[in-house]
Amino acid sequence: MVKVASQAEVLARFGHALSDPTRARLLLVLRAGAAYPSELAEILGVGRTNLSNHLACLRGCGLVVATPEGRRQRYELADDKLRHALDDLLDVVLAVDTEHVHPGGGTRAAVEPVVAASGGPTEAAVGTPAGASLAGVSKS
């Protein structure tokens, strides 16, 4: 059964997907184009079972779709607007409070914003640049 999610539900699902570093990296890879699980596992440096669990989560959130191709599945973003949303998020420069304590305990490592001379964010400030290829996603 397919259901159209409310706006709040869409944001909650997107937030849940981005809350895990592996899922966030997976979305960045798929932002560059469709890929097969074996390719995704190699690019991200994760095991197939781990990857399968993350892909199932992203499918459940409605962010990716799987297209059967013979005995294989090809994964891609469910809507091209997600690519644009990720691009827009990557252009945001965050001012991180280095003293903030997260509910899970402990102070997170500081991530200082970096602003280029032009006033715009640099690659270091926002992660992968908008035009990144699959090679632009690290295995860390």
Side-chain angles (χ1 to χ4, degrees), residues 2 4 7 50 119 138:
V2 176
V4 176
Q7 289 178 331
N50 188 354
S138 69

Side-chain angles (χ1 to χ4, degrees), residues 87-113:
D87 288 344
D88 289 344
L89 283 173
L90 291 172
D91 285 339
V92 172
V93 176
L94 300 177
V96 178
D97 179 359
T98 59
E99 301 301 316
H100 178 72
V101 177
H102 290 269
T107 303
R108 300 280 284 230
V111 178
E112 295 297 328

Side-chain angles (χ1 to χ4, degrees), residues 26-41:
L26 187 51
L27 287 171
L28 290 175
V29 172
L30 292 175
R31 174 176 146 259
Y36 297 99
S38 58
E39 297 168 332
L40 294 168

Side-chain angles (χ1 to χ4, degrees), residues 1-2 5 10 22 32 41 45 48 62 66 68 87 113 128 137:
M1 177 175 159
V2 176
V10 167
T22 300
R48 297 288 294 271
D87 288 344
T128 309
V137 179

Side-chain angles (χ1 to χ4, degrees), residues 13-21 23-24 27 58 63 86 89:
R13 288 172 182 262
F14 198 57
H16 176 71
L18 292 175
S19 70
D20 180 87
R23 287 194 299 270
L27 287 171
L58 292 174
L63 301 178
L86 290 167
L89 283 173

